């Protein structure tokens, strides 16, 4: 097993390719190794972040996402501050140590004022709670003011490390370099920065995925939130042929994502890695499997039930008809029965971030 670990950490191409495709005993070996690496740092502990999807308004038109501005079938909402305060009360009562505020991408002064108010309100009422924001690309000044208002962490997936593939998945107005620039700003401003990609995108090659792993290794992000690509019928990426292809590739994408997560854990032992909700589309225990193999973070939804059906990035999103309390109870029961430990009340700062801050 030490031999395999060395080869993966040295980026031996042949080994990485073999691991991405691994099934059967080869996959079992890969999972055993990544679990061992994870347990050395985190034991059985799983950290929680309650995620509030506070608005589905979005200015962008990403070709894969159900919330794209071009999708006129979506009922658009923006939670009021009292609604957010009520969701926060639940977060506190349920003993979450960390909250994530996520939305589509909106820019401008009114939006900034609204977001700053959300963060300030949270910081003032719950000073110990770690605050993560995930609201897309903004300018440096906005990120700075948000940090000063009390945001500790920011999630912004690069989506793919390949600029060529990125261009195929986004309209011309969006650019890979601008997204990367945002990640650099966030790091400079002292955020704990999380990024990630989608696995199984149409046109994505194994070489692209190895490129993603290298990107993650070289750029030293503190957290990773990545998951499988899931089709959404009201998007340009879901042409009839693509839908058929996707159905046929489902099992492949599921295993590819788990193998990718395992490789990432071996390459970045001390980073926080979240188990993406999208995994549950492929297998009801998908997220738990990811936690057993490589991930150490889970993000149960705290979005009020009435808004959940409108925050649909991809088809068949799980838990749309559940209340926040049910989501937490159901996940914790699954976590415990999988032999893992709940770290619900903890902020769960990335050990990688702490290590880098000490330098
Ligand atoms: N608007 C912000 C945050 C919300 S979208 C942003 O784009 O950063 C959060 C993530 O959902 C995106 O980064 C993307 O990786 C993921 N996503 C969107 N559509 C998806 C799909 N069809 N399948 C899987 N993940 C998807
Ligand atoms: Fe908007 Fe984010 Fe969806 Fe792109 S991925 S359309 S930015 S919500």
């Amino acid at each position: 097993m030490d031999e395999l670990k060395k080869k993966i950490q040295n980026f031996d191409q042949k080994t990485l390719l073999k691991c991405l495709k691994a099934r059967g005993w080869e996959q079992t070996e890969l999972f055993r190794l990544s679990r061992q690496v994870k347990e050395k740092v985190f034991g059985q502990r799983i950290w929680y972040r309650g995620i509030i999807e506070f608005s589905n308004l979005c200015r962008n038109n990403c070709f894969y996402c159900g919330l794209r501005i071009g999708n006129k079938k979506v009922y658009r909402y923006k939670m009021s501050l009292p609604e957010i305060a009520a969701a926060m009360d639940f977060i506190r009562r349920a003993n979450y140590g960390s909250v994530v505020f996520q939305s589509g991408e909106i820019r401008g002064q009114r939006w900034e004022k609204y977001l700053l108010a959300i963060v300030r309100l949270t910081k003032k009422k719950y000073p110990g709670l770690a605050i993560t924001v995930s609201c897309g690309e903004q300018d440096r000044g906005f990120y700075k003011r948000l940090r000063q208002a009390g945001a500790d962490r920011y999630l912004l997936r690069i989506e793919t490390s390949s600029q060529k593939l990125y261009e195929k998945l986004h309209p011309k107005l969006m650019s890979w370099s601008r997204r990367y620039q945002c990640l650099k700003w966030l790091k400079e401003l002292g955020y704990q920065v999380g990024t990630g990609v989608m696995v199984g995108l149409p046109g994505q090659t194994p070489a692209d995925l190895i490129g993603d792993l290298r990107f993650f290794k070289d750029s030293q992000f503190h957290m990773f939130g990545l998951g499988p690509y899931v089709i959404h019928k009201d998007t340009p990426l879901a042409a009839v042929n693509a839908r058929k292809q996707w159905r046929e590739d489902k099992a492949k994408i599921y295993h590819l994502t788990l193998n990718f997560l395992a490789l990432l854990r071996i390459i970045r032992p001390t980073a926080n890695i979240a188990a993406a909700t999208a995994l549950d589309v492929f297998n009801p225990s998908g997220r738990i499997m990811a936690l057993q193999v490589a991930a150490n973070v889970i993000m149960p939804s705290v979005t009020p039930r009435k808004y959940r059906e409108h925050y649909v990035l991809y088809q068949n999103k799980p838990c749309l008809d559940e209340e926040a309390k049910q989501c937490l109870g159901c996940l914790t029961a699954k976590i415990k029965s999988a032999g893992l430990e709940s770290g619900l009340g903890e902020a769960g700062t990335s050990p990688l971030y702490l290590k880098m801050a000490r330098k």
Side-chain angles (χ1 to χ4, degrees), residues 94-105:
N95 191 31
Y96 275 98
S98 171
V99 62
V100 180
F101 292 110
Q102 191 179 74
S103 70
E105 187 177 306

Side-chain angles (χ1 to χ4, degrees), residues 20 23 27 31 199-200 227-229 246 249-261 276 278-290 292-293:
L20 279 176
R23 296 288 275 270
Q27 193 179 37
F31 287 178
V199 177
Y229 160 70
W246 189 80
D249 285 352
K250 257 176 105 173
K252 212 167 106 192
I253 296 176
Y254 175 68
H255 287 282
L256 192 61
T257 309
L258 289 176
N259 293 351
F260 186 90
L261 281 167
L279 275 163
D280 282 13
V281 172
F282 298 80
N283 175 339
S285 301
R287 261 187 294 183
I288 300 297
M289 188 67 189
Q292 283 184 311
V293 169

